[in-house]
Amino acid sequence: MLVHGAFADSSSWNGVVERLQQNGYTVAAPANPLRGIPQDSAYLASFLKSVKGPIVLVGHSYGREVISQAAAGNDNVKALVYINAIMPDVGESFSSLSAKFAPPPLTKALKQVPFRNGDGTTGTDV
């Protein structure tokens, strides 16, 4: 299972999916909604429940925290692989780790746009 990071979509895994499938692996690269860790990990956790058999979860960049939380309590998840990502320890989060450093230049270029879900809850796209 391949999970993309921010500023990307599932097609960023196309080359990897092709190579893995050529080697006989069953591969999925579900869309990561990019609506925040709680929403994205809940979405992925529900997707994972539809998968039969052992799962290796691969997360790129932002996807690392999504897979960490989505895997919790799923006995079919056998491994987590972090690519170009921070690997939080138990009890840590990206927020707590990144607070230890100065904000990256990218943060100045981000625009936050509020949204409303169908159930009335709100969030912010970046």
Side-chain angles (χ1 to χ4, degrees):
M1 185 79 51
L2 305 170
V3 179
H4 64 83
F7 310 110
D9 63 29
S10 294
S11 68
S12 62
W13 289 111
N14 285 352
V16 176
V17 169
E18 183 180 318
R19 287 189 298 277
L20 288 170
Q21 288 175 336
Q22 286 172 351
N23 286 299
Y25 292 97
T26 301
V27 183
N32 184 354
L34 303 175
R35 290 290 171 116
I37 300 297
Q39 299 91 332
D40 297 348
S41 57
Y43 170 81
L44 181 59
S46 68
F47 185 90
L48 295 175
K49 290 178 185 175
S50 72
V51 177
K52 305 285 187 256
I55 300 168
V56 174
L57 271 175
V58 179
H60 171 256
S61 187
Y62 165 82
R64 90 289 191 196
E65 196 162 354
V66 174
I67 68 170
S68 294
Q69 292 191 25
N74 188 325
D75 292 337
N76 284 345
V77 176
K78 304 302 180 189
L80 300 175
V81 178
Y82 300 89
I83 298 177
N84 195 27
I86 295 169
M87 188 174 90
D89 202 350
V90 174
E92 288 183 320
S93 69
F94 175 73
S95 298
S96 67
L97 291 172
S98 62
K100 297 177 182 181
F101 305 97
L106 171 66
T107 57
K108 293 177 185 172
L110 300 177
K111 178 180 179 185
Q112 296 190 2
V113 179
F115 67 86
R116 181 174 302 281
N117 291 307
D119 65 0
T121 59
T122 61
T124 304
D125 278 332
V126 179

